Structure formats: C-alpha cells, structure tokens
Amino acid sequence: MRTAVILLPGLNRDRDMIAAITKISGKPPVTVWQTETEIPNVDLIVIPGGFSYGDYLRCGAIGARMPVMEALRKKAEAGVRVIGVCNGFQILLETGLLPGALMRNASLKFVCREVKLEVTNAGTPFTASYRQGEIIRCPVAHHDGNYFADGETLARLNGNGQVVFRYAEGSNPNGSIEDIAGIVSEAGNVLGLMPHPENLIETAHGGTDGRGIFENALGLSDLAGAA
Amino acid sequence: MTIRNSIPITPELVEAHGITPEEYERIRDLTGREPTFTELGIWSAMWNEHCSYKSSKKWLKTLPTTGPQVIQGPGENAGVVDIGDGECVVFKMESHNHPSYIEPYQGAATGVGGILRDVFTMGARPVAAMNALRFGEPEHPKTRHLVSGVVSGVGGYGNSFGVPTVGGEVEFDARYNGNCLVNAFAAGIARTDAIFLSEAKGVGLPVVYLGAKTGRDGVGGATMASAEFGDDIDQKRPTVQVGDPFTEKCLLEACLELMTSGAVIAIQDMGAAGLTCSAVEMGAKGDLGIELDLDKVPVREERMSAYEMMLSESQERMLMVLRPEKENEAKAIFAKWGLDFAIVGRTTDDLRFRILHQGEEVANLPIKELGDEAPEYDRPWIEPGAWQAIDASQFPEPDDYADAILQVLGSANMCSKRWVWEQYDTLIQGNSLQLPGGDAGVVRVDGHETKALAFSSDVTPRYCEADPFEGGKQAVAECWRNLTAVGAEPLASTDNLNFGNPERPEIMGQLVRAIAGIGEACEALGFPIVSGNVSLYNETNGEAILPTPTIAGVGLLPDYSVMARISAMQEGDAIFLLGG
Amino acid sequence: MTTARIVVTLKNGVLDPQGKAIEGALGTLNFQGVGKVRQGKVFDVELDTKDRAKAESDLNAMCEKLLANTVIEDYAVEIVEE
Amino acid sequence: MTTARIVVTLKNGVLDPQGKAIEGALGTLNFQGVGKVRQGKVFDVELDTKDRAKAESDLNAMCEKLLANTVIEDYAVEIVEE
Ligand SMILES: Nc1ncnc2c1ncn2[C@@H]1O[C@H](COP(=O)(O)OP(=O)(O)O)[C@@H](O)[C@H]1O
C-alpha cells in the first residue's frame, strides 16, 4: 500500500503525519510539493494539518489554489482515497471536493485538547474497523474548526450518511453545526476531519484510537488487533 | 519622509538615543570625529542596555556556565548542551516585556518568533516552547486586555510555526500593573557536529540577507526596550513590530535545508537593532570588517533612510556569510520557500563597519569597538534590606478549612492554568509525553527509542523581593525539582532576569544578590546557565516590578518508560513527604 | 495605476462567530442598543493599468477565484482611483 | 434603526502578512500587474437609534475601545442607512 503526503509551505503537522503513516504502514509515504502537477500512483493521499500560507485570507484558501490541487482533484474523481486533516480538511472544502466551510471557533480562541468523537458512519472505507456509534478519543488543535453548511447541504450530508464523526458527549470544542467533526464526499472516498488522529496512534501518545482511520484507509484493518 | 544623514548631532539628539554625555565622549573618540546621524543610531543600538548588558555584565560573568555536558555557553544565539548519541539540545529564554505592554498580541508573538529564530539559527529544529507570563492584578483595568492579547499572541505565533508549548507560568500581582512580563523559551535539537555560529570567517565573502523584507518596524525599538516608561507611552507606539509566523516557518525550513547543503559559513538572526547588531556581531567575532550596500537590501517601504534600515526590527530576517560557490543552490532553496535572498555586502580585512547608501558612505566605524567595547558599569548597589519574618499568630485561624482551601485553589494565582495552555498547541510534532499541568513538560527525542527531554520554568518573585539571594537560589532549586520530579536528570538552565531600573542602588542590589543566589544554586547542583537574557528598566512612574529572575531548565530522561507523572496516583497509594 | 477597494461579506444566514462575539463584547462594554454585527473583509488593491473596464473584470475574477469563498461570501468591487 | 459600516485598515508602514500572501497567490493565479494588496476588516453594525450624532459618537467609541487596535490600525465610520 502506498501513500502520498501533500506538502505546502506553512503546513506543520506534515512530520507528524509522515511519522504516523510510516509507523502504521511500515513504509514512508512519498511527498508531493505544491507545485507538482502529477501525483504518483498511490492508494491514499493525505493533506496534513497546519497553517498553509499562514491561513491568511481564509484558512486553507491559498493552499487550495496551488497547482497540486488539480492533480488531487483528478485522483479523487478517479476514486483514490483522500484524507484531509485539520488544515487539510479546510483545503478540501476550499477546493470544493467537500461541501461546507470552516469558520473561526465560536470561542474565537485556538483550542488544543482531547475530545470524544462518535463514529456516526462505520460504513465508510475509513471507519470500517469501528463500531457504528462507537465513542473514540481524539485530540483537536485548531483556530478555525467551526463547521458550517446551509440547511440543504446538511440535509444532503445527513441523508447520505456523509457525516462520519461528530463531537460526542458535549465535547464540541468549536461550535460546529450539529457537532460535525468529519465528513466524506458523496462517493465516499474523500474524508475531511478537524481532529488529529495522527497524534493518537501509539502508546506514547496515550492511546491508539486514531490508528484505525489510517489502517482502514490503507486496507490494513485486519492487522489492527496486532498493533 | 527621508532622514538626512547630515542631521547635526545635538546634545538633545544624543540624549534621545539613550546615550549619556560621557558615553558620547567615548563614541566620538572611537569614531575619531563627530559621528554621522546613521552612526549615532548604530552606536546607540550597540551600546544600549538590551544589546550590551552594560549594567549586568560584571555580575553575569560570575555565573557558572560550564560543565562536561556544555557544548556552547552564553554568547551565542542560544546555549548548546550534549544529550548523547551525537545530538544536542539548543535553548534560550528571552523577554519581550516592553513591546507586549504596548501591543500585547504582536509583542508576545514577536517575542516567541525571536526566541525560535535564536534556536534555529544555530541549526536546531525547535521541539519545545514555554512562556513565563506576569500580569498586574486581575481587577486592574488593563490586565484583561493584556492577558488576552499576550496569550493569543504567544499561541498565534507558536501554533502556526508548529512547536509544542509544554510549560510556562502565569502569575498576577499589583507590582506588574504597569509592566507585564513576557518571557519566552524555546529549545531545539541538532546534530552536535552541525551547530552553526555567528562568527564570520574568510575575507571577501558574500554577506547574504535572508527572509522577509525590511520595513520601518520597531525603528528605535532597542532604544525603547532600554528606557523606563512614563506617561508619554502613547508616543512610543509607532515602533510596533508585526509578526509573520508563516514566513518564519518558511525561514526555518529554508535555513535547515540550506545548512545541510554546506553553504553556510556563519549565520546570525536579526533581532533587536536587526541589521546593525547581526552584522557587527558576525564581523567582530570573526575579526573581520563588514561592508554593506543598503541599496541591495530588500525593502517593503519606499524612501527608507540608512538610519531606518540599520535600526529596523522587521521580523523573520537573517544574515549569513555564504560559500560563494553555493550561491545558486542557496538562492534556489530560498526561492522555493518564497523568501528574499540578496547579497548585501562582503567581509573585509580592515575591521571597519562600512555602510553604503545611494552612492554615499553613511557610516564607517571600527567594528571591534562597536561589538566589544560597549561601556561596562559597576553600578552602585546596596544590600537589600532584610525582611522581617511574619508572625503567623497575628492571623486568625480560618473557621472553615475546606472553604479556605477552596478560596486558595480558586484564586487567580493558584487555580489551574488550563485556560491558558489549552490555547497553545501542546501536541504538535507528536512527541509530547507530558503536557502542561504537571511538574515539567516532557518531549521525546525524535528518532530515538527511549530518550526524552523535560522542561520547566520557575521563579517566585515575592521570595526574591523578600530576599533576592534566597529567592534566586529557590528559583533554581524549584526548576531542578520540577525536572527531577518527572524522572529527568537536570542538564542545564537559562535565565531571564527581569528587574527595575539598575540606576537605582536598591534595584541594582536586587540584581546583584539574585545573581549571586542563582550562581550558588547552579554551582551546587551542577546545573550551569548556558544562555540568558536581562530585562531592566521594568518600571512605570518610579515603581518597579517585583524582582523576577525566571529560570528555565532542561533535563534528560534516558528512558521515558519509567517516567513519573502527577496523575499516576491510585486509591490506597501511600503518600511520602521527601526533603527538608 | 488603478486603486480599488473590494469588500467581502458573509452571505445572509451564514454563521458569523466573530460578529456574534463582538455583539457580546459591545454589550459588556455597556454600549446600548447594538443590534446585529457582521464582520467582513476589505482588500485595497493596486493595479498597474489605466483601463477601467479591464481593471473591473480582473478584480471580479480575483474575487471569484480567490478573494471570496462564493459558497459563503458575497463581494463588491469599487474603483477608488484611476 | 441606523446601519453603519466601519472599515478598519492597517496603518501605513505596518507589515501586512495577509496582504503579502494574497499578492503572491494572485501572482500564482496569473493575474498580471497586481501591485500592493492590503487587507482590512469591515464591520456592519445595526444600532437601535435614529439619532445620527449619537450613532456616530457611539460608533467611534466602539472603534476606539474594541473594533480597532489603534496602535496599528486606522478606522473610518460611515452611516449607511438611518
Ligand atoms: N503560560 C503557560 N503556558 C503553558 N503552561 C503553563 C503556563 N502557565 C502555567 N503552565 C503550566 O501549568 C502548570 C502549573 O504551573 P505552576 O503553578 O507554575 O506550577 P509549579 O508551581 O508546580 O511549577 C505547570 O505544568 C505549567 O507548565
């Protein structure tokens, strides 16, 4: 299984993500710089978190307009799995690959803490090893994680089971509408989420709840028990 | 607006630069004539308290700074300490007190930016940050504004740059009503055989400007940091610098990439008095002259004068001496990261600091004297008065102990600081083993199976006020204890000495005695001070802050699987009290 | 040279956490009778052209492609100086 | 009711990292001849008064106390509708 990690200036959880993928899949991912117009043949493409272009203008806005994003769109349309975490999620929204927008946290403050996530759709390629309704732990660290979509879009997301993660048990850290923490595209192969599963994949992190997302995406979930 | 270089130097102008008549005499001697206006600016930048440590140097020299683990002590951008396996930890703490009081968000943000730059200038990738903050009473009308600005500024910069904040302090006291303290710490990890220093080597080599463009930010900032505040504080506002963490993150990546390419002979970040301090330091340390052509300096504003360019404190900039054959490779790396790269001068063998601007030589000064011959004062000091022990029996016993405990725990100073550190990214880089809230923050060493580093920042200013010597000792001891409490072996420390006006003998006495206490404790514990910073003149209208010598320490855990935590307690565990 | 001002505002019905927080803060500061507050952005752009029509079409294109997220934002372009 | 628009912009000479990043992005998107870009904020405020003078003085006070950081920003108040 091969993974590509997209790199843009200002991203800063790229190293976390590369380390996590390497530990989970046993293979370091290839990295693809923003100016590339082709992404090599891989099974999973990841956009890590951070502050691409300082999150100036709007979070993810400038990053979403770099040349590599056209290549990403083609891959996504061809069915390749894509995960955008935090700034990666913001970028996927700005490219239009996922619907909605991420606004400033309701508290207007950056928030870094552990939250609880409910797996609201265990039927996606990213969540197959979790139980429907399972509550997992996951850290968040962001300033703009307040998900917003209009009523029509929300109805569509809910109707299609595109909402994959919700903040559970009153742990919504940012005011997201309907506690939405992560969504997939209509085709189901593009996942965007605000929390950082890559920071909870080994005992030293204090837990491994985030591991499954990558194992599932890489088709390694049978090995999950052995990890 | 242009400022002519021919502005006549009057006694008022000299005074406005914070230079005393005696210092000016000396400046005229060393220059060999009346300095030009630009030269006066350069002298004032090099000789102010902030850059020259003229009031504290005599006493700082008494601190223990060596040990078998110490690779680089004070005098470089940051201290360097061996952690084995060919790696070292590079760290320092620095204050941004005055700028944060004037513009809390940007002041704190640029403070964090500055300390991060100090660390990666030496070739280290930053892995941990701390911030020690002190504000006035919670009820004071300015406190809320300062707290919210400073905390969001620290987070705004550090979070975006991508370094985990693993510790710090927050304290409130009326004595900080007119002067808040923002002390920022950063640590990075480097290969021991790939440490970069500021000493220039080789004649006729290109001096390269890297990073962001130069604007009028903070012109006169270093002078400001050395002046006491009065009621005219509003007039000092236009010197505010704005931080750009995105550019700094790009600068980090570009510098580390450049350093691996072997292109860098010497490198120095531009901090206070940017171009002036960095160029003089590189030349003076390397026994070389430096010639700069200001027409080559990337600027973002029109018609900047030589004076402004030499004193600008625009952030996210570096100066470097480059191997000429690597020029194209170096340029390509900086272009990739969207940063400016310009050859702005060269090293010379004449020990002069020469500045050219629009075809004119606007400064020509002896570089060694600029760098090394700043005045050093043995300021008069008096032994701080001994404080009377308070007779506990004069206070009535509380009726309800439970309620009393709740009141203590609920007070601004004793309550959990979670509300602060949850605004900081404490997890980024994926190596945080202990977050703020315990005794020390712990970060594992990337790529190593068992090794981790512990960090703590401590001082109890009211102890220092009561007895600066004992208070200084206590700050060191507490920092040491916090490191050992997680199971780390303390390696070395850095200090940030925040005091009032050293021209007052009682304040100078606090500084002298606190340094003595710190020195004694560090000596006794084998806990050398490898870097540090002094912030004086923290006074408003004659009232000084509490003496606040912040100590930040770094410890090494050879095996983090046996690390101790405060949260590991279980019901039925026995509690022991250790120590005296 | 042409100087233009672009104002980008949130569409009606889109949540505005910053505007909301400001409403609250103004209340705390004892300003009376403050109704809705909405926060937007303004961009002052210098363009190296004297051709007003071209400037306007360029500025609109900049908004569509970058400056506004048209899913949630509206924009208005105004030429300030030619 | 009074509706006002407040525009807050960075003072001349103050670094504008956002504006700078936008300049670069417009270049990447192949817009030619873009000079300086400066980003500011706009606040649309509804006030529950018909007294124009009072509205103006309140709005100025809001800027001084909250909406603008007068250390680095300038502001302009405009009444849009009474
Ligand atoms: N500004 C801050 N940033 C990060 N962590 C902080 C900050 N202030 C306090 N903390 C953390 O809160 C905890 C308690 O702080 P403090 O009361 O100073 O502890 P102690 O006295 O035990 O050293 C420590 O873990 C400290 O690192």
Side-chain angles (χ1 to χ4, degrees), chain B residues 129-134 151 154 165-171 413-418 420-421 424 426 435-441 455-458 478 482:
Chain B
M130 297 194 284
N131 60 112
L133 312 178
R134 292 193 156 77
V151 171
V154 169
T165 298
V166 300
E169 300 173 80
V170 185
E171 188 175 1
N413 282 330
M414 295 303 290
C415 72
S416 162
K417 305 303 184 316
R418 179 180 290 272
V420 173
W421 48 261
Y424 303 148
T426 50
L435 307 185
D439 292 304
F455 303 94
S456 181
S457 153
D458 301 275
E478 183 176 351
N482 276 324

Side-chain angles (χ1 to χ4, degrees), chain B residues 243-324:
Chain B
D244 180 357
F246 166 61
T247 295
E248 177 120 323
K249 165 75 168 148
C250 293
L251 189 58
L252 160 76
E253 299 300 342
C255 284
L256 293 187
E257 215 173 306
L258 189 64
M259 286 164 173
T260 16
S261 79
V264 180
I265 294 175
I267 185 162
Q268 173 70 31
D269 83 296
M270 293 193 222
L275 210 43
T276 295
C277 272
S278 55
V280 168
E281 200 160 325
M282 289 175 86
K285 280 201 178 137
D287 286 324
L288 292 169
I290 301 264
E291 180 184 286
L292 296 179
D293 180 356
L294 297 185
D295 300 334
K296 305 262 170 60
V297 170
V299 289
R300 63 160 213 272
E301 292 180 66
E302 284 160 31
R303 292 199 302 277
M304 285 188 66
S305 68
Y307 178 90
E308 290 169 320
M309 281 196 244
M310 291 312 294
L311 295 195
S312 163
E313 298 196 339
S314 290
Q315 300 287 299
E316 293 92 24
R317 303 178 301 159
M318 299 262 192
L319 209 58
M320 169 182 87
V321 178
L322 174 79
R323 274 185 221 293

Side-chain angles (χ1 to χ4, degrees), chain A residues 9-16 23 33 51-54 56 109-113 139 141 199 202 204-205, chain B residues 125 159-162 244-246 249-250 336-337 422-430 432-433 444 446 560:
Chain A
L11 289 184
N12 59 21
R13 266 191 167 76
D14 48 333
R15 294 161 62 83
D16 306 38
K23 279 174 186 161
W33 184 243
F51 290 75
S52 58
Y53 288 91
Y56 298 146
K109 295 191 168 92
F110 187 96
V111 57
C112 177
R113 71 162 84 115
N199 284 149
E202 52 182 319
H205 289 158
Chain B
R125 182 176 282 278
N159 299 343
S160 176
F161 178 84
D244 180 357
F246 166 61
K249 165 75 168 148
C250 293
K336 171 183 161 193
W337 290 100
E422 276 194 351
Q423 296 180 53
Y424 303 148
D425 198 332
T426 50
L427 299 168
I428 187 157
Q429 299 187 6
S432 303
L433 302 177
R444 71 182 162 174
D446 217 5
Y560 62 74

Side-chain angles (χ1 to χ4, degrees), chain A residues 24-173:
Chain A
I24 292 168
S25 71
K27 246 187 287 177
V30 294
T31 55
V32 184
W33 184 243
Q34 58 167 356
T35 48
E36 303 284 324
T37 50
E38 296 277 343
I39 298 174
N41 271 331
V42 292
D43 309 285
L44 173 67
I45 303 170
V46 182
I47 314 178
F51 290 75
S52 58
Y53 288 91
D55 271 359
Y56 298 146
L57 184 58
R58 297 179 304 278
C59 55
I62 298 179
R65 284 154 181 85
M66 292 300 132
V68 72
M69 294 303 161
E70 240 344 274
L72 177 76
R73 177 189 306 280
K74 286 193 199 119
K75 291 283 186 189
E77 281 165 1
V80 177
R81 289 174 189 171
V82 176
I83 300 180
V85 170
C86 198
N87 202 218
F89 185 17
Q90 293 160 344
I91 290 171
L92 289 174
L93 296 173
E94 279 280 343
T95 59
L97 283 168
L98 291 173
L102 284 158
M103 323 279 290
R104 184 60 33 117
N105 294 345
S107 66
L108 303 192
K109 295 191 168 92
F110 187 96
V111 57
C112 177
R113 71 162 84 115
E114 189 174 295
V115 297
K116 296 225 161 28
L117 294 180
E118 179 183 352
V119 181
T120 48
N121 182 353
T124 77
F126 306 99
T127 47
S129 68
Y130 298 98
R131 272 176 295 109
Q132 182 77 17
E134 183 175 344
I135 308 285
I136 63 171
R137 300 162 47 206
C138 204
V140 295
H142 59 247
H143 209 166
D144 297 86
N146 187 348
Y147 183 78
F148 176 84
D150 58 30
E152 202 183 305
T153 309
L154 279 175
R156 205 172 62 235
L157 287 173
N158 285 320
N160 295 339
Q162 284 176 255
V163 178
V164 180
F165 298 108
R166 290 187 206 270
Y167 301 108
E169 300 171 7
S171 71
N172 184 339

Side-chain angles (χ1 to χ4, degrees), chain B residues 248-563:
Chain B
E248 177 120 323
K249 165 75 168 148
C250 293
L251 189 58
L252 160 76
E253 299 300 342
C255 284
L256 293 187
E257 215 173 306
L258 189 64
M259 286 164 173
T260 16
S261 79
V264 180
I265 294 175
I267 185 162
Q268 173 70 31
D269 83 296
M270 293 193 222
L275 210 43
T276 295
C277 272
S278 55
V280 168
E281 200 160 325
M282 289 175 86
K285 280 201 178 137
D287 286 324
L288 292 169
I290 301 264
E291 180 184 286
L292 296 179
D293 180 356
L294 297 185
D295 300 334
K296 305 262 170 60
V297 170
V299 289
R300 63 160 213 272
E301 292 180 66
E302 284 160 31
R303 292 199 302 277
M304 285 188 66
S305 68
Y307 178 90
E308 290 169 320
M309 281 196 244
M310 291 312 294
L311 295 195
S312 163
E313 298 196 339
S314 290
Q315 300 287 299
E316 293 92 24
R317 303 178 301 159
M318 299 262 192
L319 209 58
M320 169 182 87
V321 178
L322 174 79
R323 274 185 221 293
E325 69 276 13
K326 295 275 190 181
E327 184 182 330
N328 288 333
E329 197 178 332
K331 235 186 210 157
I333 291 172
F334 274 73
K336 171 183 161 193
W337 290 100
L339 297 167
D340 272 295
F341 175 101
I343 295 183
V344 296
R346 60 190 183 93
T347 57
T348 64
D349 60 3
D350 61 2
L351 289 178
R352 303 296 294 181
F353 186 45
R354 269 190 278 129
I355 310 297
L356 310 175
H357 188 223
Q358 295 173 352
E360 194 193 334
E361 185 178 86
V362 292
N364 185 340
L365 296 172
I367 204 162
K368 293 292 278 184
E369 286 75 2
L370 269 173
D372 307 337
E373 292 211 10
E376 199 178 310
Y377 293 123
D378 183 1
R379 295 202 188 274
W381 61 279
I382 51 172
E383 190 75 38
W387 279 54
Q388 296 303 313
I390 299 173
D391 175 13
S393 67
Q394 69 179 302
F395 299 103
E397 197 176 331
D399 298 330
D400 180 345
Y401 273 97
D403 181 58
I405 287 178
L406 282 179
Q407 271 191 40
V408 170
L409 293 179
S411 67
N413 282 330
M414 295 303 290
C415 72
S416 162
K417 305 303 184 316
R418 179 180 290 272
W419 61 275
V420 173
W421 48 261
E422 276 194 351
Q423 296 180 53
Y424 303 148
D425 198 332
T426 50
L427 299 168
I428 187 157
Q429 299 187 6
N431 293 319
S432 303
L433 302 177
Q434 286 204 44
L435 307 185
D439 292 304
V442 181
V443 166
R444 71 182 162 174
V445 177
D446 217 5
H448 195 280
E449 287 296 309
T450 61
K451 215 155 62 180
L453 294 172
F455 303 94
S456 181
S457 153
D458 301 275
V459 61
T460 309
R462 65 196 161 84
Y463 295 171
C464 299
E465 168 95 345
D467 185 333
F469 180 76
E470 290 299 327
K473 268 164 67 181
Q474 190 275 339
V476 173
E478 183 176 351
C479 180
W480 166 277
R481 278 199 307 274
N482 276 324
L483 296 174
T484 51
V486 298
E489 200 179 301
L491 284 176
S493 54
T494 178
D495 63 344
N496 202 145
L497 308 175
N498 308 274
F499 290 83
N501 181 351
E503 292 161 42
R504 294 205 285 145
E506 64 277 22
I507 301 285
M508 198 59 211
Q510 292 177 338
L511 178 65
V512 169
R513 294 302 293 153
I515 291 178
I518 291 168
E520 185 171 303
C522 287
E523 190 77 60
L525 294 167
F527 195 39
I529 304 261
V530 296
S531 55
N533 177 248
V534 180
S535 170
L536 302 177
Y537 298 96
N538 292 289
E539 296 204 9
T540 299
N541 297 328
E543 203 196 342
I545 58 162
L546 288 173
T548 312
T550 313
I551 303 292
V554 179
L556 178 68
L557 287 109
D559 180 3
Y560 62 74
S561 69
V562 293
M563 170 174 76

Side-chain angles (χ1 to χ4, degrees), chain A residues 185-205:
Chain A
S185 58
E186 212 169 319
N189 64 315
V190 179
L191 168 69
L193 74 169
M194 281 317 293
H196 288 283
E198 76 277 19
N199 284 149
L200 200 66
I201 61 123
E202 52 182 319
T203 2
H205 289 158

